[in-house]
Amino acid sequence: MTTLRFTDRGPEVKRMQERLTLRGFRPGPTDGIFGAATEAALIAFQRAQGLLPDGVYGPKTRLRLDPAGILHKAEPYLFLSADLVAKMFPATPAGNIARFLPLVLTALKASGIADKPMILTALATIRAETEGFLPIEERVSRFNTSPGGRPFDLYDQRADLGNRGRPDGERYRGRGFVQLTGRANYTAIGKALGMGLALVQDPARALEPETAARILAAFLQPHEREIKEAVLDGDLLRIRRLVNGGSHGFGRFADAFLRGFRLIDDPVWPAGELDAAIRARPDLRSA
């Protein structure tokens, strides 16, 4: 299944134009030429459907516009080798990557987000949060523990995390690949994964490798559109904030994301376009 972009030509472009016309988004002549009018009509359709308005006729836009023409086809998901990913994690033991990468890719595929920008967001998040590429528990620090206080006591009263006082701070401290933190997040993600209240009742389960990978995917999936819009804008800091809520670990995140983006050959998300977008936004360049 071919992804169609501006300046493409052929029968698939013509079919797309016909589908747009039928849906009330006129692209001009149905001539099989993906010109400016066709791009504008496609973007209007994407906005109407709540899709990423990038003017690219990829699998999700096809599914909305032409379901009969796509349901019998399978879009291959992006596969990354452990050797390639190791180049994104220069300080990480290669054995950890080989062991846990398949679990992460499987979880992303099951969530429908196993394409270049989402896989790189997941991997760069791991680099920023747990550079060793394995699920870990949050450590005591000045950000979560008061001077001379109980471990994680600064989290106990964090209503924004859904915590209800002692011992919620320590019980629902960060765990996993993405550092799931707070009673509310353990509750919401557990339900999203079909685990009911299992994560709330036994939060250490967030350290189970397969569960940690599924948590990472479930955490990223609702932000897919925002993440991809940020990629188009060259705004890696926005992606980090969508995941982390702040800029902690941004240097590692940006380094991993850019290394991967340049290493992976993908015509839908070419490396040169991201580099150009970053150059156009000097305030957002990574350190």
Side-chain angles (χ1 to χ4, degrees):
M1 181 172 53
T2 304
T3 294
L4 303 176
R5 303 171 72 92
F6 182 68
T7 73
D8 284 343
R9 298 171 175 243
E12 286 195 73
V13 174
K14 184 175 181 179
R15 180 178 175 88
M16 175 187 68
Q17 292 171 326
E18 291 171 346
R19 299 293 100 185
L20 285 169
T21 300
L22 287 173
R23 297 295 292 272
F25 296 87
R26 295 185 59 81
T30 54
D31 54 6
I33 301 173
F34 199 148
T38 297
E39 183 182 49
L42 183 62
I43 289 173
F45 173 79
Q46 289 173 323
R47 291 188 186 281
Q49 293 291 312
L51 298 167
L52 178 70
D54 58 1
V56 175
Y57 193 49
K60 290 191 175 181
T61 302
R62 280 179 182 264
L63 188 58
R64 296 286 183 87
L65 182 63
D66 190 13
I70 191 176
L71 290 179
H72 68 284
K73 300 178 180 179
E75 180 75 0
Y77 81 104
L78 185 63
F79 175 79
L80 275 68
S81 70
D83 288 341
L84 185 149
V85 173
K87 295 177 182 178
M88 299 168 56
F89 287 74
T92 301
N96 290 355
I97 297 173
R99 178 183 177 189
F100 295 116
L101 177 62
L103 296 178
V104 172
L105 293 177
T106 297
L108 295 173
K109 181 182 180 184
S111 296
I113 53 172
D115 57 8
K116 181 174 177 177
M118 297 308 293
I119 288 178
L120 290 180
T121 297
L123 296 177
T125 296
I126 294 173
R127 170 91 186 272
E129 302 277 1
T130 64
E131 191 162 6
F133 211 111
L134 72 170
I136 64 170
E137 281 190 320
E138 183 178 5
R139 297 177 180 177
V140 170
S141 74
R142 64 186 178 89
F143 300 106
N144 56 45
T145 302
S146 63
R150 293 175 290 98
F152 303 97
D153 63 340
L154 293 181
Y155 283 173
D156 283 338
Q157 305 301 328
R158 287 280 300 275
D160 59 313
L161 296 175
N163 290 343
R164 304 171 182 173
R166 184 178 181 183
D168 277 7
E170 183 171 12
R171 181 172 176 78
Y172 300 112
R173 61 188 181 273
R175 295 182 178 89
F177 287 119
V178 74
Q179 293 296 276
L180 187 69
T181 307
R183 178 188 283 270
N185 284 322
Y186 277 81
T187 302
I189 294 295
K191 291 180 179 178
L193 295 180
M195 298 176 67
L197 296 176
L199 282 178
V200 178
Q201 296 165 350
D202 185 7
R205 290 197 60 185
L207 291 171
E208 298 170 355
E210 183 176 352
T211 301
R214 295 177 64 210
I215 288 171
L216 175 61
F219 201 85
L220 296 180
Q221 198 277 334
H223 300 295
E224 180 183 11
R225 175 174 173 172
E226 295 168 288
I227 287 169
K228 290 181 176 179
E229 287 177 339
V231 172
L232 291 172
D233 290 340
D235 193 345
L236 302 185
L237 183 57
R238 192 197 320 168
I239 302 175
R240 182 64 186 143
R241 285 175 171 160
L242 285 168
V243 179
N244 176 254
S247 59
H248 174 73
F250 175 65
R252 295 189 301 277
F253 178 91
D255 181 70
F257 197 100
L258 287 171
R259 285 174 184 255
F261 215 91
R262 292 162 180 162
L263 285 168
I264 298 168
D265 183 20
D266 183 345
V268 179
W269 297 92
E273 290 189 7
L274 176 60
D275 286 331
I278 291 174
R279 285 195 298 271
R281 301 282 296 272
D283 55 311
L284 300 173
R285 291 175 188 166
S286 60

